């Protein structure tokens, strides 16, 4: 059984907007799941097979709040992925607000969150021919979502795009990072969208890729 740690909870994305879908994403017969709001869990001696971040690095942008992924935290993440082989998956707010010149942006995620317009109708287009997108179909989210504007920063494989009245943006990308694997995916501001059947199936494929040999 694989072990997954899910990091969540910030001002704009409270725990209760994400946690209800996690048992669907990580069924108990396949995953041993730990859910936490504390980024310091990464400093534990026990390294999971997969770390999934649904947590904005600024926990509350309504008051002055420094990012919690400081140099020590980032170095630990880097070591866990590159040298220990942990998978890392950043979903929606797990990508947001990391500075453009931050090590996580330039070396680990290889993508930079620029901004997002007001919530709107967002559709997902998939690039065919990859294991993650196999048998998946393009779809439109049932609720309005935040259409993240993304700048790809390095060599990574783009597997999907989001499309709205604001244009077309990279929305799903992946790459090997040392012994581990890294994947970013941008939609998912609400439980309703995160748990939508088509998206949930895609997210499951993403988690499986992150931990497969």
């Amino acid at each position: 059984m694989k072990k997954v740690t899910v990091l969540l909870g910030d001002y704009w994305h409270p725990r209760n907007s994400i946690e209800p879908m996690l048992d669907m994403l990580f069924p108990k017969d396949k995953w041993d799941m730990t859910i936490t709001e504390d980024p310091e869990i990464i400093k534990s001696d026990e390294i999971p097979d997969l770390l999934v971040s649904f947590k904005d690095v600024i926990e509350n942008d309504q008051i002055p709040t420094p990012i919690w992924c400081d140099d020590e935290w980032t170095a630990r993440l880097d070591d866990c992925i590159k040298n220990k082989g942990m998978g890392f998956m950043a979903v929606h707010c797990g990508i947001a607000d990391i500075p453009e010149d931050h090590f996580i942006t330039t070396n680990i995620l290889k993508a930079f969150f620029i901004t997002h317009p007001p919530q709107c109708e967002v559709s997902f287009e998939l690039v065919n021919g990859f294991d993650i997108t196999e048998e998946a179909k393009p779809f439109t989210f049932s609720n309005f979502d935040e259409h993240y504007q993304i700048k790809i920063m390095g060599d990574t494989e783009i597997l999907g795009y989001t499309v709205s009245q604001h244009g077309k943006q990279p929305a799903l990308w992946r790459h090997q990072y040392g012994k581990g694997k890294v994947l970013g995916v941008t939609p998912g501001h609400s439980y309703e969208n995160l748990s939508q059947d088509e998206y949930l199936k895609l997210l499951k494929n993403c988690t499986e890729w992150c931990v497969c040999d």
Side-chain angles (χ1 to χ4, degrees), residues 15 30 55 87 102 108 117 124 154 163 166 173-174 194 213:
R15 182 170 183 154
K30 293 183 178 181
K55 187 180 183 73
H102 196 284
I108 298 178
F124 210 116
V163 180
H166 301 286
W173 61 93
R174 69 176 184 185
L194 284 167
D213 298 327

Side-chain angles (χ1 to χ4, degrees), residues 117 120-126 138-141 143 145-149 160-171 186-187:
C120 60
E121 183 176 89
V122 176
S123 298
F124 210 116
E125 294 184 355
L126 301 168
F139 60 90
T140 299
F141 287 100
N143 287 19
D145 210 288
E146 294 172 341
H147 191 194
Y148 275 22
Q149 313 295 291
Y161 295 86
T162 41
V163 180
S164 78
Q165 61 182 308
H166 301 286
K168 183 175 181 177
Q169 291 289 323
T186 62

